[in-house]
């Protein structure tokens, strides 16, 4: 098929605005799948995606569309995630496209991730087709939402499509608009081959399989490919395109989206965002890759069984192929043994990665307290990065600590502005601006320390706004604040995995609440367990888990009292000995207890 008949596009939107439902209707209307094959979220192939009702991974699929003029077109559609933690998936998908369908929920209007995704599409110089979805709902204010879209991307009102992805209304007209509006890929067949790796997966039998968008030249079976950043060479054993499953084809040409199998067994040779070329027509300049994502949240991942350390390393290597934003490096904790310090884009990303490792690789894992990366400035003037409190230098050598700040964008109905501003100020936020999208909807801008929003900010935001507010953020810079290290000591041993960096004003209250929480979580032993919160050498809070008491005198009935006293003294000596050598088992719940402490 000629390049003029190919359309590469993504569906982008805020979470729950109907991207996957629209993808389902497109597959059904184009006849890609028969009615009996259809099910909801057909492209979401992970159990986690179906259980949570969200898209976690981008999903490419090739569709043959016959237009109203009876002309056939190839649609390479990429369904993308909507949550802020998976925005890197969206940015990579957009780099493989010429256009984007921007979906807006008729009942919700423009939300935070709608704005971010629209800007990503504009940065990639894509043709944007604005679409209002869920027009079948009762009581929606279409005119107001149209004005929001016009203000966001500067389109004309007549450019905005009206659809219901659930019922299929307007979807046929949208497909015609895709043919008309989204430009075909530029033809570059007779030059050195270049393709961008926008995703990849690991297959136990076939090695690492890159998903590519071919920009220049062509790729076919038997050729040798060169991975440009590592200069590794592999022979192509198969090329193909995406239907519901990978489907083998003879060749991938300029403008095509597909995959390459080359028996790439060394996972380290393949990187998302890299360029591949062919050795018989070698390109010298790589394609523009992706901006490297900086992790925002750090947490330790440790196997429950120490013997599983190498399995965890292998699992992380394979998962990174499929999730390029994940970062990790080995680390050791005295209380947990060998594990990995991992960087994530947010708390949902952390949660999803942990669940995928446990489900897909059959591992049992412990996660440590999530935290952000701090910059510690020493008295000598040297500045060091610290992504875990255990790496904190001696307090006497520290001049001050800097923490990351974000620009938080909250979009909400006007009546909730007061509640949301109070929430942002509780989290040490600094007010910057308010912009009204229309008479009933506002955009509030705050600058907030990242450590204050990584765990429960999103949940509280939804609670105080009754679910109507949306939230997005971007990193600004590092700023000097009054931070200290809070240590937790259990049974007279510091537990480095429970240490936390905290604002000095909150340290006393948080320390007391945390030891109270840990007392209820740590199981009782045959000896008392002291739990202490300390700042340096100063103990600021203490609780004790009382010892279990075994009734050693139960078998004594009657007789001299000295017999009972002997048994009690023997028990006392045994408990003293046990306390000296006893180890305390700390449950997983204890490692996230600090995050569940209310600030008030």
């Amino acid at each position: 098929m000629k390049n003029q008949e190919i359309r590469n596009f993504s569906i982008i939107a805020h979470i729950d605005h109907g991207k996957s439902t629209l993808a389902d209707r497109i597959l059904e209307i184009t006849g890609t799948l028969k009615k009996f094959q259809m099910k909801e979220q057909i492209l979401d192939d992970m159990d986690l995606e179906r259980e949570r009702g969200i898209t976690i991974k981008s999903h490419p699929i090739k569709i043959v569309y016959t237009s109203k003029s009876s002309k056939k077109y190839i649609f390479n559609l990429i369904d993308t995630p909507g949550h802020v933690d998976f925005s890197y998936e969206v940015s990579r998908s957009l780099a493989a496209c010429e256009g984007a369908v921007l979906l807006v929920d008729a009942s919700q209007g423009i939300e935070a991730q709608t704005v971010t995704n629209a800007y990503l599409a504009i940065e990639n110089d894509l043709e944007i087709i604005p679409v209002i979805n869920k027009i079948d709902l009762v009581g929606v204010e279409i005119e107001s939402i149209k004005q929001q879209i016009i203000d966001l991307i500067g389109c004309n009102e007549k450019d905005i499509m009206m659809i219901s992805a659930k019922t299929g209304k307007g979807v046929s007209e949208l497909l015609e608009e895709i043919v008309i509006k989204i430009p075909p890929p530029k033809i570059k067949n007779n030059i050195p081959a270049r393709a961008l790796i926008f995703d990849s997966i690991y297959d136990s039998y076939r090695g690492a399989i890159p998903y590519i968008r071919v920009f220049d030249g062509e790729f076919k079976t038997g050729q040798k490919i060169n991975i440009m950043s590592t200069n590794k060479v592999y022979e192509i054993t198969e090329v193909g395109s995406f239907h519901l499953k990978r489907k083998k084809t003879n060749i991938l040409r300029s403008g095509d989206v597909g995959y390459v199998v080359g028996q790439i067994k060394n996972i380290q040779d393949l990187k998302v965002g890299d360029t591949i070329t062919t050795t018989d027509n070698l390109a010298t300049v790589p394609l523009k890759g992706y901006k490297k994502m900086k992790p925002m949240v750090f947490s330790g991942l440790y196997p429950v069984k120490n013997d599983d350390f190498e399995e965890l390393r292998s699992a992380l290597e394979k998962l990174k192929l499929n999730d390029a934003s994940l970062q990790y490096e080995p680390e050791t904790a005295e209380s947990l043994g060998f594990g990995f310090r991992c960087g994530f884009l947010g708390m949902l990303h952390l949660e999803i990665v942990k669940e995928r490792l446990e489900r897909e690789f059959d591992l049992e894992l412990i996660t440590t307290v999530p935290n952000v990366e701090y910059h510690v400035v020493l008295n000598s003037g040297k500045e060091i990065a610290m992504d875990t409190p255990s790496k904190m230098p001696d307090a006497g050598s520290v001049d001050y600590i800097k923490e990351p700040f974000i620009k938080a964008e909250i979009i909400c109905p006007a009546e909730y502005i007061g509640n949301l501003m109070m929430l942002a100020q509780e989290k040490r936020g600094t007010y910057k601006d308010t912009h009204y999208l229309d008479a009933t909807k506002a955009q509030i801008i705050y600058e907030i320390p990242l450590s204050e929003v990584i765990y429960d900010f999103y949940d509280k935001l939804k609670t105080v706004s009754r679910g109507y507010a949306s939230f997005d953020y971007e990193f600004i810079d590092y700023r000097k604040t009054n931070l200290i290290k809070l240590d937790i000591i259990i049974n007279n041993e510091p537990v480095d995995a429970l240490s936390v960096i905290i604002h000095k004003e909150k340290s006393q209250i948080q320390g007391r609440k945390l030891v109270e929480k840990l007392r209820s979580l740590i199981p009782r032993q045959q000896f008392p367990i002291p739990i202490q919160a300390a700042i340096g050498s100063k103990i600021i809070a203490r609780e004790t888990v009382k010892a279990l008491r075994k009734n050693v005198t139960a078998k004594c009935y009657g007789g001299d009292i000295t017999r009972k006293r002997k048994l009690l003294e023997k028990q006392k000596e045994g408990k003293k000995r046990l306390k000296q050598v006893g180890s305390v088992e700390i449950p997983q719940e204890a490692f996230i207890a600090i995050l569940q402490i209310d600030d008030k």
Side-chain angles (χ1 to χ4, degrees):
M1 191 168 273
K2 297 175 183 176
N3 283 53
Q4 292 302 312
E5 289 148 14
I6 295 175
R7 299 291 183 271
N8 298 321
F9 67 97
S10 284
I11 303 174
I12 55 174
H14 189 82
I15 192 168
D16 285 336
H17 278 213
K19 297 176 300 299
S20 296
T21 309
L22 176 56
D24 290 350
R25 289 297 78 70
I26 290 174
L27 293 176
E28 193 177 312
I29 288 170
T30 57
T32 305
L33 293 177
K34 303 299 180 188
K35 193 102 178 165
F36 70 88
Q37 295 176 295
M38 289 301 300
K39 57 183 176 180
E40 288 187 6
Q41 291 178 261
I42 189 73
L43 293 182
D44 294 343
D45 51 11
M46 272 194 279
D47 290 340
L48 268 175
E49 293 177 309
R50 296 188 165 282
E51 287 168 19
R52 293 171 177 260
I54 60 173
T55 301
I56 294 167
K57 283 291 303 170
S58 298
H59 298 280
I61 189 166
K62 182 178 180 179
I63 299 165
V64 178
Y65 170 62
T66 305
S67 70
K68 289 180 180 176
S69 63
S70 299
K71 191 174 180 182
K72 287 190 184 243
Y73 291 88
I74 291 287
F75 285 175
N76 287 310
L77 159 65
I78 305 177
D79 180 26
T80 62
H83 195 282
V84 60
D85 281 13
F86 305 109
S87 56
Y88 194 44
E89 292 283 327
V90 182
S91 69
R92 301 203 318 267
S93 301
L94 293 178
C97 298
E98 279 76 38
V101 173
L102 179 66
L103 212 58
V104 178
D105 188 324
S107 63
Q108 302 291 331
I110 296 287
E111 296 198 73
Q113 201 62 24
T114 318
V115 177
T116 301
N117 288 340
Y119 288 160
L120 277 173
I122 292 166
E123 282 173 22
N124 281 274
D125 199 25
L126 302 188
E127 182 65 40
I128 299 173
I129 300 176
V131 178
I132 297 177
N133 186 26
K134 305 186 185 179
I135 59 169
D136 55 312
L137 296 179
V138 178
V140 293
E141 297 180 10
I142 299 294
E143 294 307 314
S144 169
I145 293 167
K146 280 184 178 178
Q147 192 55 51
Q148 291 176 24
I149 295 172
I150 291 166
D151 291 343
L152 176 64
I153 61 174
C155 63
N156 296 319
E157 186 176 335
K158 62 181 176 60
D159 296 330
I160 301 173
M161 304 289 295
M162 312 284 289
I163 71 162
S164 167
K166 185 178 180 180
T167 65
K169 183 179 179 181
V171 177
S172 296
E173 288 75 12
L174 173 59
L175 294 175
E176 287 294 310
E177 194 75 0
I178 289 168
V179 168
I180 296 165
K181 289 280 185 71
I182 294 179
K186 294 175 182 175
I187 302 169
K188 297 179 182 176
N189 279 331
N190 299 317
I191 59 175
R194 291 191 305 173
L196 185 69
I197 303 172
F198 68 86
D199 205 351
S200 55
I201 62 159
Y202 183 81
D203 186 289
S204 303
Y205 302 103
R206 313 177 88 183
I209 301 175
Y211 290 2
I212 63 170
R213 158 67 199 274
V214 183
F215 282 89
D216 307 332
E218 58 187 37
F219 294 82
K220 55 189 175 184
T221 305
Q223 286 182 318
K224 288 188 176 178
I225 55 167
N226 177 276
I227 302 170
M228 293 188 76
S229 70
T230 56
N231 206 29
K232 299 289 183 180
V233 175
Y234 293 94
E235 184 176 340
I236 299 175
T237 57
E238 181 180 314
V239 298
S241 56
F242 303 105
H243 294 263
L244 260 190
K245 304 290 183 185
R246 296 190 298 270
K247 186 176 179 181
K248 184 177 178 180
T249 56
N250 295 322
I251 192 167
L252 290 176
R253 294 189 174 89
S254 174
D256 286 339
V257 174
Y259 68 92
V260 171
V261 178
Q263 302 299 326
I264 304 170
K265 293 296 184 184
N266 187 354
I267 297 172
Q268 308 298 333
D269 291 348
L270 201 62
K271 294 181 179 65
V272 168
D274 204 350
T275 303
I276 63 170
T277 183
T278 55
T279 54
D280 56 359
N281 201 358
L282 198 67
T284 54
V285 180
L287 293 161
K288 184 181 176 184
Y290 307 110
K291 182 172 71 174
K292 191 175 179 182
M293 291 300 286
K294 187 176 176 62
M296 292 286 113
V297 176
F298 294 85
S299 178
L301 282 179
Y302 292 85
V304 171
K305 301 172 186 171
N306 288 332
D307 293 345
D308 288 344
F309 174 72
E310 285 304 325
E311 283 80 356
L312 177 57
R313 183 197 297 275
S314 173
L316 283 167
E317 284 180 354
K318 291 169 184 174
L319 193 62
K320 185 170 173 61
L321 270 183
N322 198 229
D323 185 353
S325 53
L326 171 65
Q327 295 189 17
Y328 63 92
E329 60 181 31
E331 75 164 4
T332 307
E334 288 179 18
S335 53
L336 296 172
F338 294 103
F340 291 89
R341 192 75 186 163
C342 301
F344 307 92
L345 299 184
M347 283 300 296
L348 179 63
H349 188 208
L350 185 161
E351 196 179 325
I352 293 296
V353 166
K354 180 175 180 285
E355 280 205 48
R356 289 188 68 185
L357 287 168
E358 289 180 334
R359 289 188 187 201
E360 296 174 23
F361 301 96
D362 197 25
L363 292 166
E364 285 184 80
L365 301 174
I366 291 175
T367 56
T368 62
V369 178
N371 58 269
V372 301
E373 182 177 88
Y374 297 94
H375 287 182
V376 180
V377 179
L378 306 177
N379 293 327
S380 62
K382 183 181 177 183
E383 186 172 312
I384 58 173
M386 180 188 68
D387 59 17
T388 175
S390 62
K391 294 180 182 176
M392 180 83 159
D394 180 71
S397 64
V398 176
D399 187 5
Y400 60 89
I401 302 173
K402 296 195 293 185
E403 66 177 322
F405 272 70
I406 57 165
K407 176 185 172 185
E409 175 189 291
I410 302 167
I411 295 179
C412 65
E415 66 259 36
Y416 299 113
I417 289 177
N419 292 341
L420 290 166
M421 290 178 83
M422 284 177 63
L423 173 63
Q425 280 155 9
E426 281 173 16
K427 297 293 186 180
R428 297 192 282 135
T430 305
Y431 172 75
K432 286 298 170 185
D433 195 15
T434 300
H435 170 65
Y436 282 87
L437 302 175
D438 59 28
T440 62
K441 203 161 197 178
Q443 178 189 49
I444 316 168
I445 306 294
Y446 266 86
E447 290 182 359
I448 306 177
L450 179 60
S451 60
E452 296 284 352
V453 304
I454 61 171
Y455 186 70
D456 64 349
F457 181 79
Y458 187 74
D459 292 337
K460 288 184 176 179
L461 178 102
K462 288 294 183 184
T463 301
V464 300
S465 68
R466 296 186 183 177
Y468 287 110
S470 62
F471 169 66
D472 192 17
Y473 65 85
E474 62 180 66
F475 171 74
I476 308 172
D477 54 18
Y478 279 83
R479 298 178 186 176
K480 178 182 176 182
T481 48
N482 195 6
L483 299 171
I484 55 171
K485 181 186 177 188
L486 180 70
D487 287 312
I488 299 299
I489 302 167
I490 298 178
N491 199 27
N492 301 315
E493 291 289 334
V495 181
D496 49 358
L498 283 174
S499 299
V500 67
I501 303 296
I502 196 167
H503 197 269
K504 191 171 184 179
E505 289 178 4
K506 296 183 178 182
S507 60
Q508 293 278 351
I509 295 171
Q510 292 286 70
R512 279 198 297 273
K513 288 187 174 181
L514 182 58
V515 294
E516 287 171 10
K517 185 80 173 177
L518 289 172
R519 184 190 64 184
S520 66
L521 290 171
I522 292 175
R524 293 171 71 184
Q525 306 286 335
Q526 293 289 326
F527 53 90
I529 304 168
I531 304 169
Q532 299 166 306
I535 299 171
S537 58
K538 182 182 177 184
I539 305 297
I540 62 168
R542 172 178 170 135
E543 291 286 340
T544 303
V545 178
K546 291 183 179 178
L548 286 169
R549 184 176 184 275
K550 182 181 177 184
N551 190 0
V552 293
T553 62
K555 60 187 177 182
C556 296
Y557 47 92
D560 191 356
I561 188 68
T562 55
R563 187 176 171 208
K564 289 185 179 181
R565 283 179 181 159
K566 255 184 213 177
L567 287 170
L568 289 169
E569 285 298 320
K570 190 176 179 183
Q571 183 188 43
K572 188 176 177 183
E573 286 298 315
K575 283 191 175 184
K576 191 175 179 182
R577 232 177 13 257
L578 189 64
K579 186 177 177 181
Q580 289 172 349
V581 299
S583 61
V584 180
E585 183 181 337
I586 303 172
Q588 168 69 59
E589 291 81 10
F591 294 100
I592 58 171
I594 194 163
L595 302 168
Q596 297 171 330
I597 303 296
D598 200 339
D599 293 342
K600 295 178 182 177

